[in-house]
Amino acid sequence: MKKKILSIFMACLLCLGLTACGNSSSDSESIQGKVSLNGSTSMEKFVNALSEAIKEEYPDLQLEAQFTGSSAGLEALASGSADIGDSSRALTDEEKEKGLVENIVAIDGIAMITHKSNTVKNLTTEQLTKIYTGEIKNWKELGGQDQAIVVIGRESGSGTRGAFEELLKIEDQCQYAQELNETGAVLAKVAKTEGAIGYVSLDVVDDTVTALKLNDVEASEKTIKDGSYQLQRPFVMATKGEISKQKGNVRAIFNFIESDAGQEVIKKVGLISAK
Amino acid sequence: MENRFLSIVSNHKTKSIVEKTAAIIFRGCAIMSIVAVVSITGYMLISGTPALFKEGFIDILFKTTWAPTASDPQYGILLIILTSIVGVILAILIGVPIGLLTAIHLAEMANKHVRKILKSAIELLAGIPSVVYGLLGILIVNPMMYKLELLIYKGDTSHQFTGGANLLSAIIVLAIMILPTLINISETALKSVPDDLRKSSLALGASQIQTIFKVVLPAAKNGIMSAIVLGVGRAIGEAMAILLVAGNAVTFPFPFHSVRFLTTAIVSEMGYASGVHREVLFTIGLVLFVFIMIINLVLTFILKKGDCHD
């Protein structure tokens, strides 16, 4: 009996030894050390996914990320306490004068969706604002059927909700009929509830719902990239000076984002590539 | 081979070793559950109280504005607490009559075949995962409530339409979910009423209905009360099903308002909460914990009273 246990134990050890040998050699040994990032809380999901994915390419590279807000992050970059400043808005002229360079890595796009049966296909920004603050309560006020509007949104703390309210400048003034804690749930509820309106990341929109036009512009990757669709914001990873003048490991991060693996990360967290 | 049978007479030493180890193992298991309860209580207190001191008892427990991510954050959970209380009371009011009458039917009236079918149906009801109740709530209860809402509030311009995800839907789902608890425990209580009581009542000329309501029910009162208390416990702790049907906006608990319960408040915002917001969510957990403790104390009190009577 004892012998048997011992032999099983040895076999286990052997297996462990083998797996340890698995992933050692790498051609990018020169890229190592820590890169500190600081900035937007909205970019937390993206940055965390990035720092996880980048380990496969550069195992010795560590991203040390802090999430203190876009402005605070850019300030930290300007003062030199961070290597990269994450910002979920475009840089101001003042910030650019300090030598900060705006590198847009991805774009966050939000689509407005309604129930299939809804005849309203287009809204202006003002109408949208009024719907979400509770001023407009019926679709007939917008030229649709006589049907109550069911305002659906996300829970507080959600990045999509933060972006939506920030872009329409209605932070904490929204009157939701339902607050759901998942993008998929918003999509499903809107698809099932007549008269419902909701917001989701552009990438999850499917044909169970109607995506609304905003100010006569359709929501698509194309209109977001050319800037005509308004419910969007850039995800900026700002650097002090051009990327080409940065340290090797900072350059490696941007190279990674440009690569297929990096673009995959962008897609996975529901963003649109800036390329 | 000679020690194959542990004989008390032949081998006193082995016996005492076995006895002692068994005692130690049993004691260890018993201690484990105590350790779990004590550490959970401790952890809830440690993680739930800092926010109370930071933001103030009154600002958290008795204010009605819940805006945790605003530039001037507010963490008033009064409406959430009220929703949990109102929702559970109403669910009990719907669930208890149905559950109690089902239990009476099971214990006093049903013949063998009906009993068998009913029993297995109730067991199945108890075994259905709560998320499935939630899904059925979305598919069946919510659309029905939306139709009702459109009917009642037709032409009303001040009402915010919820699309059927409201307090009423949550109450209906909760009432169904607590049925198995109510039925099983009340049935046991009714069955434990001695048959002499029934026979004496019937012999005195009372009808079966009179016997049930005047004799059996009063005799089983304590058991039924503990069924109700356990039903309350089940209802107040339920999260998944009502997360899907209640709408989750923080408003006053009127039937056609989208509401947020204590449990769903934690579940829906835990994912992205940070800082004080996160601490307040733990405080909500603490409030829930206190509710459950009160329910347990009431239950112990009821059971104790029952013992005294016997």
Side-chain angles (χ1 to χ4, degrees):
Chain A
M1 192 60 191
K2 252 187 188 167
K3 244 184 188 171
K4 215 174 189 179
I5 291 174
L6 196 72
S7 62
I8 289 172
F9 183 60
M10 291 306 277
C12 284
L13 265 184
L14 212 66
C15 287
L16 270 177
L18 277 177
T19 48
C21 287
N23 45 9
S24 58
S25 62
S26 168
D27 47 16
S28 45
E29 277 157 30
S30 54
I31 303 299
Q32 57 186 359
K34 292 171 181 168
V35 176
S36 64
L37 295 92
N38 197 342
S40 170
T41 48
S42 317
M43 286 171 69
E44 184 168 350
K45 214 165 141 194
F46 168 65
V47 171
N48 286 343
L50 184 70
S51 70
E52 228 167 78
I54 208 166
K55 281 207 183 94
E56 279 174 25
E57 195 109 341
Y58 307 108
D60 298 325
L61 183 62
Q62 256 189 345
L63 301 194
E64 286 195 330
Q66 277 183 297
F67 307 99
T68 54
S70 298
S71 303
L74 292 171
E75 229 163 79
L77 174 67
S79 71
S81 64
D83 298 321
I84 293 175
D86 298 328
S87 165
S88 52
R89 58 170 172 78
L91 268 56
T92 61
D93 289 340
E94 202 180 320
E95 281 158 351
K96 282 181 183 161
E97 269 168 32
K98 286 184 200 159
L100 307 188
V101 177
E102 181 183 83
N103 312 303
I104 298 176
V105 289
I107 303 170
D108 189 12
I110 297 168
M112 301 307 307
I113 53 172
T114 55
H115 189 261
K116 273 267 177 200
S117 70
N118 206 321
T119 50
V120 177
K121 304 286 179 205
N122 179 47
L123 289 176
T124 64
T125 328
E126 200 194 336
Q127 283 169 335
L128 191 58
T129 312
K130 281 189 174 162
I131 288 175
Y132 270 86
T133 50
E135 267 180 75
I136 297 178
K137 291 186 178 215
N138 198 306
W139 287 108
K140 75 180 170 198
E141 293 170 60
L142 305 164
Q145 307 118 295
D146 179 11
Q147 191 165 46
I149 302 179
V150 178
V151 182
I152 295 179
R154 292 286 305 277
E155 85 283 8
S156 40
S158 142
T160 316
R161 170 166 164 169
F164 175 80
E165 295 186 356
E166 188 186 302
L167 288 167
L168 289 180
K169 302 199 172 51
I170 44 172
E171 283 114 324
D172 306 305
Q173 298 165 29
C174 288
Q175 294 195 350
Y176 293 104
Q178 295 191 27
E179 289 181 34
L180 307 173
N181 65 341
E182 250 164 89
T183 302
V186 175
L187 198 69
K189 279 271 181 172
V190 171
K192 277 201 70 72
T193 313
E194 280 183 37
I197 185 170
Y199 51 77
V200 290
S201 306
L202 186 69
D203 64 312
V204 300
V205 176
D206 58 18
D207 53 10
T208 59
V209 291
T210 315
L212 287 176
K213 287 183 192 171
L214 190 67
N215 303 327
D216 289 318
V217 182
E218 209 165 315
S220 70
E221 261 194 68
K222 190 171 153 277
T223 55
I224 282 181
K225 276 186 191 170
D226 68 21
S228 53
Y229 183 76
Q230 287 187 352
L231 279 180
Q232 62 155 299
R233 56 178 180 173
F235 276 6
V236 175
M237 286 172 84
T239 46
K240 203 171 185 181
E242 294 294 331
I243 296 175
S244 52
K245 292 187 184 128
Q246 302 298 316
K247 294 185 287 187
N249 47 16
V250 176
R251 280 208 311 272
I253 292 174
F254 284 99
N255 283 338
F256 178 77
I257 293 172
E258 289 282 309
S259 72
D260 286 346
Q263 294 297 313
E264 195 62 36
V265 173
I266 289 173
K267 240 192 212 139
K268 209 177 72 192
V269 294
L271 299 171
I272 294 159
S273 160
K275 272 211 264 188
Chain B
M1 267 298 140
E2 67 267 35
N3 254 347
R4 205 160 153 188
F5 301 103
L6 281 177
S7 161
I8 300 172
V9 186
S10 72
N11 199 334
H12 176 259
K13 210 173 169 191
T14 326
K15 183 212 149 205
S16 69
I17 289 173
V18 169
E19 288 288 311
K20 269 184 191 153
T21 12
I24 289 169
I25 291 170
F26 292 152
R27 195 166 298 147
C29 291
I31 287 171
M32 202 126 89
S33 66
I34 294 174
V35 167
V37 166
V38 169
S39 53
I40 288 170
T41 314
Y43 187 74
M44 283 317 296
L45 283 173
I46 290 168
S47 52
T49 43
L52 280 177
F53 289 117
K54 258 184 231 167
E55 298 292 317
F57 271 75
I58 293 171
D59 278 355
I60 289 185
L61 296 178
F62 297 106
K63 288 264 168 77
T64 55
T65 317
W66 176 257
T69 50
S71 49
D72 173 28
Q74 305 224 30
Y75 304 102
I77 62 169
L78 184 63
L79 289 178
I80 302 175
I81 296 176
L82 276 181
T83 301
S84 265
I85 295 173
V86 171
V88 168
I89 288 176
L90 291 179
I92 286 287
L93 283 182
I94 296 174
V96 165
I98 300 174
L100 194 56
L101 295 185
T102 312
I104 290 173
H105 184 72
L106 269 177
E108 307 287 323
M109 295 168 158
N111 64 38
K112 226 165 113 191
H113 296 291
V114 176
R115 227 184 97 78
K116 213 170 163 189
I117 296 168
L118 212 54
K119 263 296 211 191
S120 50
I122 292 160
E123 263 156 35
L124 202 62
L125 204 60
I128 295 172
S130 61
V131 65
V132 174
Y133 280 103
L135 285 178
L136 294 177
I138 288 186
L139 289 176
I140 301 163
V141 183
N142 279 358
M144 265 164 42
M145 286 301 130
Y146 190 31
K147 277 190 192 132
L148 197 63
E149 190 181 14
L150 287 172
L151 211 67
I152 291 173
Y153 289 94
K154 204 171 183 194
D156 189 337
T157 48
S158 60
H159 178 74
Q160 184 180 36
F161 283 84
T162 59
N166 50 34
L167 181 64
L168 214 54
S169 306
I171 289 169
I172 291 171
V173 171
L174 277 181
I176 295 172
M177 291 187 73
I178 58 174
L179 278 183
T181 316
L182 288 172
I183 294 170
N184 285 333
I185 299 171
S186 342
E187 195 214 346
T188 318
L190 290 172
K191 285 226 143 160
S192 65
V193 173
D195 231 10
D196 309 355
L197 289 179
R198 286 187 195 91
K199 281 178 182 153
S200 323
S201 167
L202 290 171
L204 285 170
S207 70
Q208 195 184 13
I209 299 295
Q210 281 171 328
T211 308
I212 290 167
F213 282 101
K214 299 262 157 91
V215 178
V216 182
L217 273 188
K221 202 178 65 195
N222 284 320
I224 292 167
M225 282 305 287
S226 46
I228 294 172
V229 173
L230 283 175
V232 171
R234 172 113 166 86
I236 207 165
E238 178 49 45
M240 207 53 226
I242 46 179
L243 178 69
L244 296 173
V245 299
N248 297 325
V250 183
T251 54
F252 194 84
F254 283 126
F256 285 101
H257 272 187
S258 164
V259 290
R260 190 179 294 185
F261 288 75
L262 286 168
T263 45
T264 51
I266 302 172
V267 175
S268 64
E269 287 183 4
M270 209 53 182
Y272 295 112
S274 58
V276 183
H277 185 189
R278 198 181 177 82
E279 285 173 13
V280 174
L281 293 185
F282 277 106
T283 308
I284 296 177
L286 187 63
V287 172
L288 197 60
F289 190 70
V290 169
F291 271 114
I292 299 284
M293 294 243 274
I294 292 171
I295 288 165
N296 273 339
L297 286 178
V298 171
L299 188 66
T300 335
F301 179 71
I302 290 171
L303 291 179
K304 227 183 219 161
K305 225 170 93 186
D307 286 346
C308 290
H309 275 291
D310 296 337

